[in-house]
Amino acid sequence: MKVVLINGSPRKNWNTAQMLESAAQGCRDAGAETSLYHIYDMDVKGCSSCFACKLLGGKSYGKCALNDALKPILEEIWQSDALIVGSPVYFADVTACTRALFERLWFSSLAYNRERMVISPKRLPVGVIFTTNAPQPGFHKALNELVTRTMTTFVGPTELIEANDTLQFDDYSKYDASMFDVEAKRRRREEVFPQDLKRAYELGRRLLEKKE
Ligand SMILES: Cc1cc2nc3c(=O)[nH]c(=O)nc-3n(C[C@H](O)[C@H](O)[C@H](O)COP(=O)(O)O)c2cc1C
């Protein structure tokens, strides 16, 4: 069993990455192998609208043909048994590199075909992890619904969890950030974030049970 994890945060050790590491540990404790990719540093592009994935008889039918660093990762995703994607929420959306992944993953699985719209190679259980400054889950409801629905349609049964009100910097006194209650942020980091990490672990631990 193999699980691919994608970190869509530019930061490799902060909130999103830690949630993903915890989810990966859950996967490994359930007996899976894991690969984690930090895609922000890679040469990744969104969908180029080339339509090779829809060209009848074409060698890339149902697959993304764009040849950049995401291509082998997309191939590995479809060869794996489950997928976990983590992203910070940026302006009520996923980060740009996560969006690039979603466009490529989703659009190559969609055909403009009256009979059969979904042409994904297979179904995979998916975990989505969002981290936010927003104080509670569901603050970005439209985003959560869009991602859960689209991922479920084109990839497989999707569970989305969030870590909210995250700590953004080590030392708030160095930044122009007086709108935050620093003590409350610290307390949340100490008391709530460990529970968030545990939920990420549990998501990883049970994800493969959802294999259809
Ligand atoms: C450019 C930018 C935009 C952001 N926009 C939002 C937002 O719309 N909603 C929100 O809840 N948090 C927002 N945040 C906060 C981050 O989502 C949050 O701090 C996240 O946990 C950071 O993840 P990281 O520690 O893995 O980098 C934003 C942060 C940045 C840098």
Side-chain angles (χ1 to χ4, degrees):
M1 293 286 186
K2 170 79 188 278
V3 182
V4 174
L5 295 102
I6 307 288
N7 179 18
S9 170
R11 305 199 287 181
K12 295 189 196 68
N13 300 305
W14 275 79
N15 300 286
T16 313
Q18 288 178 36
M19 291 287 281
L20 284 164
E21 289 291 356
S22 197
Q25 190 57 53
C27 297
R28 288 192 290 272
D29 288 351
E33 268 177 62
T34 57
S35 316
L36 171 60
Y37 295 100
H38 301 282
I39 59 171
Y40 181 86
D41 289 348
M42 299 178 179
D43 166 32
V44 296
K45 293 190 178 66
C47 175
S48 67
S49 202
C50 71
F51 299 109
C53 60
K54 296 174 203 353
L55 185 66
L56 292 169
K59 66 177 183 349
S60 290
Y61 182 80
K63 289 189 277 190
C64 183
L66 189 58
N67 204 1
D68 67 355
L70 268 187
K71 192 165 189 247
I73 295 176
L74 288 164
E75 283 164 5
E76 193 177 330
I77 288 171
W78 288 119
Q79 281 158 16
S80 74
D81 299 286
L83 168 68
I84 302 181
V85 182
S87 177
V89 172
Y90 279 8
F91 295 100
D93 208 332
V94 293
T95 57
C97 60
T98 311
R99 175 74 197 186
L101 172 84
F102 286 176
E103 288 176 11
R104 309 258 302 272
L105 184 65
W106 295 341
F107 196 62
S108 57
S109 298
L110 174 158
Y112 294 137
N113 175 325
R114 230 177 264 145
E115 286 77 41
R116 193 168 154 254
M117 196 180 84
V118 179
I119 52 167
S120 324
K122 63 182 191 189
R123 301 276 294 161
L124 298 175
V126 183
V128 175
I129 298 173
F130 286 158
T131 71
T132 80
N133 233 338
Q136 77 272 334
F139 187 89
H140 300 291
K141 187 167 179 270
L143 173 67
N144 291 3
E145 285 177 1
L146 172 95
V147 170
T148 305
R149 188 176 61 245
T150 316
M151 203 55 110
T152 301
T153 301
F154 294 114
V155 186
T158 300
E159 177 176 343
L160 186 151
I161 64 167
E162 295 180 49
N164 304 107
D165 196 5
T166 54
L167 195 72
Q168 268 185 292
F169 341 102
D170 270 333
D171 183 351
Y172 275 70
S173 69
K174 287 188 184 160
Y175 298 93
D176 186 7
S178 57
M179 69 183 276
F180 296 113
D181 177 342
V182 180
E183 264 325 294
K185 279 264 184 206
R186 286 251 160 246
R187 262 201 317 281
R188 179 147 184 141
R189 178 68 172 191
E190 280 160 23
E191 291 164 17
V192 180
F193 194 62
Q195 295 169 34
D196 295 331
L197 292 174
K198 193 156 180 278
R199 285 187 303 114
Y201 173 86
E202 281 158 6
L203 174 117
R205 174 107 207 187
R206 66 174 179 271
L207 195 61
L208 286 160
E209 291 167 14
K210 296 188 185 167
K211 217 163 174 263
E212 290 176 340

